[in-house]
């Protein structure tokens, strides 16, 4: 029986308000309403948005096959845009990356040909959502600005601001700006009239808190989202929320809860036959089994995941699974197998210039080859890693320039298409406008290159100065704390070490030899640290003559021996001042090791400080365990 909306519902309401109300009650009712609505609209930007929303809803309900009976396309440009978007959404759900990009690039080209702000904004908005779902965040800032620019030119926007709030928040999270992400999600929640429609914002807000290590709030908002999605009978989204709950529970060390949520999510993905989601869920289960020391189950889960991902077409997602597998194998002590997966991930990431995964694979390869005592190879990987990170920083800084180049290429393609059409007076006017626009963009690119080059140099210098001590080159306190609290948990069988040390009688050095000599002592101490400890060690100056070290993946005995050897080397170091005087200094040390991820350094620092005080009272120039 066809679905009909009563007059009492539609009076005084546009289609978006009716759709929002129905979506809050039942996704199937909202789907039926969209089917009815799209037929009533003439070719237009609004029909494109309604049709694309219908396509996305049909995918969520696993009814995309019904679209061919619902969406009937004419030959006009509006319907051509809609057809490409609908096709792109369907292949994106199947993780067919190349096909998705092809469909949306055609939709964007035709949208710019129409030169209608509402059409361009609509296409760009759906393109952003698809790119995020396929783990492709390249140039998202540019696409978001395109949406905002075109929305400002729309007299009557027919979709709410929440869609834009959501994509801006997702992009902010990817760039590490969690404060902006939380602000955007809270705006979206506040703007949403019906409680049930807040589910996606609760879900994404929870993931932001997960990134911040706030597992309590992450769980709270995910359970809110799960309750609402169950009310809407949206099984695919229910599974996604249960998957996220499993990840949070594992991070919070609630392993039974984690397996329960992940098993429920996996059962739904089997029903939907989604290869990537099944593989991703299996990798998350493997992480739980690793934490439970159930090695066989962890290995079986990883192998099952790897057998599934060859079915998918999205290299970004396949690479993500390989990285997760390598990390888990490393935690299990399967160094050789972990290295194999990391190398595969590296090759895949290189093939599509996926910088984020390329950097993580190089980090893993460097760590793993070092564990095999292949230090030469580890050094080569570390060198490549530094180079890739530098390129990534440059790439981010030059993103605006790249975006302008891309738009210029689109303009050139439009110009070519127009010239192939009939050479009437109207088309000649369009050619003239496009040529002027192309020339204008070329000028912008030249000036952008100059300005961005100058700003990049200043930005890198400013960033380094903000994080490092100007005298010794060591990290400052805030930068050190930030990096240590973001460090991953140590590998299986290892611990992370923290070392606090203070130069003995340093005030006497300043009093007897002068502050320039005191500064020289601090510099020589820092140089000795860089020579003595590995590149993975973090070194910070906490103030005055007090320093701190973070030594990852080490055993208790190894840490004590290494610090004691450094203490002896420091006490034997002869330092010659500018006026030819030679002096020697000693230091007192406190050390400790830990196994779990640190959210806060204050308590551990207090323990180290107490132990350092004991070292001073024990005659100085010694190492005390906290």
């Amino acid at each position: 029986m066809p679905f009909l909306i009563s007059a009492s519902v539609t009076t005084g309401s546009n289609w978006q308000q009716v759709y929002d109300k129905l979506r809050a009650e039942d996704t199937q009712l909202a789907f039926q309403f969209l089917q009815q609505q799209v037929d009533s609209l003439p070719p237009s930007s609004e029909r494109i948005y309604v049709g694309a929303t219908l396509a996305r809803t049909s995918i969520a309900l696993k009814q995309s096959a019904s679209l061919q009976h619902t969406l009937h396309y004419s030959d006009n440009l509006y319907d051509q845009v809609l057809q490409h978007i609908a096709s792109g959404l369907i292949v994106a759900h199947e993780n067919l990356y190349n096909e998705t990009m092809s469909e949306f690039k055609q939709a964007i080209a035709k949208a710019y040909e129409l030169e209608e702000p509402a059409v361009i904004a609509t296409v760009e908005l759906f393109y952003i959502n698809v790119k995020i779902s396929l783990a492709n965040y390249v140039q998202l800032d540019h696409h978001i600005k395109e949406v905002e620019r075109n929305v400002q030119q729309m007299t009557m926007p027919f979709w709410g601001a929440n869609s834009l709030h959501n994509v801006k928040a997702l992009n902010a999270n990817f760039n590490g700006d969690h404060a902006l992400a939380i602000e955007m999600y809270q705006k979206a929640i506040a703007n949403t009239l019906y409680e049930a429609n807040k589910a996606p914002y609760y879900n994404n807000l929870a993931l932001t808190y997960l990134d911040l290590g706030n597992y309590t709030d992450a769980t709270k908002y995910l359970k809110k989202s799960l309750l609402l999605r169950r009310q809407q009978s949206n099984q695919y989204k229910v599974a996604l929320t249960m998957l996220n709950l499993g990840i949070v529970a594992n991070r919070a060390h609630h392993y039974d809860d984690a397996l329960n949520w992940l098993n429920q999510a996996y059962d739904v993905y089997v029903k939907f036959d989604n290869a990537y989601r099944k593989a991703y869920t299996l990798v998350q289960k493997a992480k739980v089994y690793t934490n439970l020391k159930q090695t066989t189950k962890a290995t079986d889960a990883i192998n099952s995941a790897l057998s599934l991902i060859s079915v998918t077409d999205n290299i970004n997602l396949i690479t993500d699974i390989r990285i997760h597998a390598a990390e888990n194998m490393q935690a299990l002590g399967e160094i050789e197998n972990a290295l194999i997966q990391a190398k595969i991930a590296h090759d895949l990431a290189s093939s599509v210039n996926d910088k984020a995964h390329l950097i993580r694979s190089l980090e893993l390869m460097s760590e793993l080859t070092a564990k095999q005592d292949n230090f030469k190879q580890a050094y080569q990987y570390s060198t490549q890693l530094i180079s890739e990170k530098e390129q990534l920083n440059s790439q981010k800084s030059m993103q605006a320039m790249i975006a302008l180049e891309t738009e210029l290429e689109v303009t050139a393609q439009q110009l070519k298409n127009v010239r192939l059409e009939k050479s009437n007076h109207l088309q000649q006017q369009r050619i003239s406008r496009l040529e002027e626009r192309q020339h204008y963009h070329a000028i912008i690119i030249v000036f952008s290159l100059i300005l961005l080059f100058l700003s990049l140099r200043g930005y890198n210098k400013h960033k380094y100065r903000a994080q490092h001590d100007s005298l010794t080159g060591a990290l400052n306190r805030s930068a050190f704390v930030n990096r240590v609290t973001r460090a991953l948990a140590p590998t299986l069988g290892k611990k992370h070490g923290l070392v606090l040390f203070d130069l003995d009688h340093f005030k006497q050095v300043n009093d007897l030899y002068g502050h320039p000599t005191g500064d020289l002592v601090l510099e020589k101490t820092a140089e000795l640290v860089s020579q003595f400890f590995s590149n993975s060690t973090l070194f910070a100056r906490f103030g005055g003559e007090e320093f701190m070290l973070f030594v990852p993946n080490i055993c208790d005995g190894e840490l004590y021996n290494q610090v004691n050897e450094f203490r002896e080397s420091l006490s034997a170091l002869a330092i010659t001042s500018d006026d030819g005087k030679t002096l020697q200094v000693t230091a007192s040390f406190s050390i400790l090791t830990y196994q779990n991820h640190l959210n806060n350094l204050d308590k551990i620092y207090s323990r180290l400080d107490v132990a350092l005080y004991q070292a001073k009272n024990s005659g100085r120039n010694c190492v005390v365990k906290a």
Side-chain angles (χ1 to χ4, degrees), residues 605-618:
Y605 177 79
S606 297
R607 289 168 58 191
L608 284 165
D609 199 38
V610 170
L612 183 61
Y613 181 79
Q614 293 172 356
K616 293 287 187 182
N617 284 345
S618 300

Side-chain angles (χ1 to χ4, degrees), residues 325-532:
E327 290 173 340
N328 217 59
M329 288 172 175
Q330 182 186 26
L332 292 169
E334 299 176 10
I335 304 303
E336 187 63 38
N337 289 333
L339 187 57
I340 291 171
Q341 294 303 324
K343 286 180 177 177
I344 294 174
H346 173 270
D347 293 343
L348 290 171
S350 298
S351 69
V352 293
N353 198 28
D354 179 356
K355 291 291 185 184
H357 283 127
L358 186 62
I359 286 171
R360 182 58 189 134
S361 65
L362 283 169
E363 288 174 341
L364 282 168
M365 289 159 68
S366 177
E367 293 171 12
L368 292 165
T369 49
K371 287 182 182 296
Q372 294 177 326
D373 294 333
N374 187 353
F375 298 112
K376 181 178 179 181
Q377 184 64 64
Y379 175 77
Q380 292 175 352
Y381 288 142
S382 296
T383 303
Q384 293 178 40
L385 175 62
I386 293 170
S387 174
E388 291 295 340
K389 285 185 175 180
E390 289 175 349
Q391 290 180 36
L392 181 61
N393 289 334
S394 298
Q395 182 182 19
K396 287 182 178 179
S397 299
M398 303 291 283
Q399 197 170 48
M401 183 274 293
I402 295 171
L404 287 171
E405 288 181 336
T406 303
E407 188 174 347
L408 187 59
E409 290 173 3
V410 172
T411 306
Q413 183 61 46
Q414 293 171 17
L415 184 61
K416 181 180 179 182
N417 292 340
V418 172
R419 281 174 171 161
L420 292 174
E421 296 175 356
K422 294 179 182 180
S423 300
N424 57 34
H425 180 67
L426 177 61
Q427 289 162 346
Q428 289 301 322
Q429 287 182 333
R430 291 177 67 187
I431 290 173
S432 177
R433 288 198 302 270
L434 289 168
E435 285 175 337
E436 290 174 1
R437 185 179 178 187
Q438 187 178 24
H439 180 67
Y440 174 72
H441 283 155
I443 295 172
I444 291 176
I445 289 173
V446 172
F447 281 99
S448 296
L449 281 167
I450 297 170
L451 292 173
L452 286 169
F453 173 75
L454 295 174
S455 64
L456 177 62
R457 291 177 59 189
Y459 170 78
N460 287 337
K461 289 180 180 178
H462 176 75
K463 184 177 179 181
Y464 181 87
R465 289 170 182 167
Q467 294 181 347
H468 291 79
D469 173 50
S470 59
L471 178 64
T472 62
L475 292 169
N476 58 33
R477 184 178 187 132
S478 61
F480 179 87
V481 171
N482 182 48
R483 295 193 189 185
V484 171
T485 53
R486 290 171 58 189
L488 298 174
T491 57
L492 194 63
K494 297 285 188 179
K495 298 179 180 180
H496 290 331
L498 286 170
V499 181
L500 183 67
F501 71 94
D502 187 283
L503 297 180
D504 298 329
H505 304 298
F506 185 74
K507 185 177 183 301
Q508 294 181 14
V509 174
N510 282 328
D511 292 341
L512 292 174
Y513 300 96
H515 286 281
T517 300
D519 288 347
L520 179 64
V521 169
L522 295 174
E523 291 173 355
K524 292 298 182 182
T525 301
E527 288 177 10
L528 187 62
V529 168
S530 65
Q531 295 168 13
F532 199 90

Side-chain angles (χ1 to χ4, degrees), residues 238-300:
V238 165
L240 179 62
T241 308
M242 291 190 296
L243 171 61
N244 291 333
L245 276 164
I247 293 171
V248 174
N250 183 38
R251 297 269 189 93
H253 309 301
H254 301 153
Y255 302 126
D256 289 340
D257 289 343
L259 288 174
N260 179 45
W261 289 120
L262 293 172
N263 284 332
Q264 291 184 67
Y266 184 78
D267 290 342
V268 176
Y269 290 135
V270 169
K271 176 184 173 183
F272 277 88
D273 194 25
N274 189 306
Y276 167 71
R277 288 294 177 188
K278 284 190 289 185
Y280 189 80
T281 306
L282 284 168
V283 171
Q284 297 306 322
K285 287 177 68 175
K287 290 184 176 182
V288 180
Y289 289 134
T290 298
N291 289 333
L292 290 170
K293 306 294 189 295
Q294 296 179 11
T295 306
T296 302
K297 288 185 177 180
T299 303
D300 290 344

Side-chain angles (χ1 to χ4, degrees), residues 71-86:
L71 284 174
H72 304 287
Y73 305 107
S74 62
D75 291 334
N76 66 74
L77 270 179
Y78 290 99
D79 273 16
Q80 289 178 34
V81 171
L82 174 57
Q83 188 170 11
H84 285 304
I85 293 177

Side-chain angles (χ1 to χ4, degrees), residues 27-81:
T27 308
Q28 183 65 46
L29 291 177
F31 176 62
Q32 293 172 3
F33 168 67
L34 289 174
Q35 287 179 306
Q36 173 186 310
Q37 187 70 20
V38 74
D39 283 337
S40 67
L41 292 169
S44 60
S45 57
E46 191 168 3
R47 173 173 158 83
I48 291 172
Y49 185 81
V50 174
T53 305
L54 172 65
R56 191 161 61 182
T57 308
S58 72
I59 291 167
L61 295 172
K62 209 177 181 182
Q63 297 183 26
S64 53
S66 65
L67 285 179
Q68 60 183 334
H69 305 297
T70 305
L71 284 174
H72 304 287
Y73 305 107
S74 62
D75 291 334
N76 66 74
L77 270 179
Y78 290 99
D79 273 16
Q80 289 178 34
V81 171

Side-chain angles (χ1 to χ4, degrees), residues 99-328:
E99 288 88 337
T100 304
M101 293 297 105
S102 175
E103 292 291 348
F104 269 93
K105 284 178 181 177
Q106 292 181 73
I108 289 172
K110 293 181 185 299
Y112 277 96
E113 208 172 325
L114 282 165
E115 296 184 344
E116 186 175 324
V119 176
I120 295 171
T122 300
V123 177
E124 290 278 8
L125 186 66
F126 280 94
Y127 184 44
I128 291 166
N129 278 287
V130 162
K131 290 186 74 173
I132 291 172
S133 72
L134 295 175
N136 180 358
Y137 287 79
V138 177
Q139 292 190 28
L140 273 199
D141 289 331
H142 162 67
H143 294 296
I144 289 171
K145 287 176 182 176
E146 274 296 280
V147 175
E148 292 177 320
R149 182 175 68 83
N150 284 282
V151 165
Q152 290 174 358
Q153 300 177 51
M154 294 166 60
T155 54
M156 293 183 63
F158 44 82
W159 38 263
N162 279 0
S163 298
L164 190 55
H165 289 329
N166 192 50
V167 296
K168 288 175 75 173
L170 290 166
N171 188 47
N173 266 336
F174 177 77
N175 291 319
D177 191 349
H178 300 307
L180 176 60
I182 291 173
E183 179 187 345
M184 289 294 104
Y185 288 134
Q186 288 175 338
K187 281 185 178 180
I189 290 169
N191 289 341
T192 303
L193 181 62
Y194 303 104
E195 183 67 20
N197 294 338
K198 297 176 182 179
Y201 309 126
Y202 284 142
N203 181 86
N204 293 342
L205 180 59
L207 297 182
T208 304
Y209 282 118
L210 173 61
D211 287 342
L212 293 170
N214 185 343
Y215 305 130
T216 302
D217 283 339
T219 303
K220 178 181 74 175
Y221 285 112
L222 281 173
K223 287 186 175 179
K224 278 189 174 185
S225 177
L226 181 63
L227 177 64
L228 297 175
R229 283 173 166 171
R230 280 175 169 163
Q231 292 173 1
Q232 292 176 304
S233 302
N234 192 333
Q235 287 302 306
Y236 189 80
K237 295 296 185 181
V238 165
L240 179 62
T241 308
M242 291 190 296
L243 171 61
N244 291 333
L245 276 164
I247 293 171
V248 174
N250 183 38
R251 297 269 189 93
H253 309 301
H254 301 153
Y255 302 126
D256 289 340
D257 289 343
L259 288 174
N260 179 45
W261 289 120
L262 293 172
N263 284 332
Q264 291 184 67
Y266 184 78
D267 290 342
V268 176
Y269 290 135
V270 169
K271 176 184 173 183
F272 277 88
D273 194 25
N274 189 306
Y276 167 71
R277 288 294 177 188
K278 284 190 289 185
Y280 189 80
T281 306
L282 284 168
V283 171
Q284 297 306 322
K285 287 177 68 175
K287 290 184 176 182
V288 180
Y289 289 134
T290 298
N291 289 333
L292 290 170
K293 306 294 189 295
Q294 296 179 11
T295 306
T296 302
K297 288 185 177 180
T299 303
D300 290 344
I302 291 173
N303 290 336
S304 297
L306 293 175
S307 70
L308 286 169
I309 59 172
S310 60
V311 179
T312 67
D313 180 61
N314 188 340
I315 290 180
N316 296 77
L317 301 183
I318 293 174
T319 307
D320 194 48
I321 293 291
R322 297 284 184 185
I323 290 287
H324 281 296
E327 290 173 340
N328 217 59

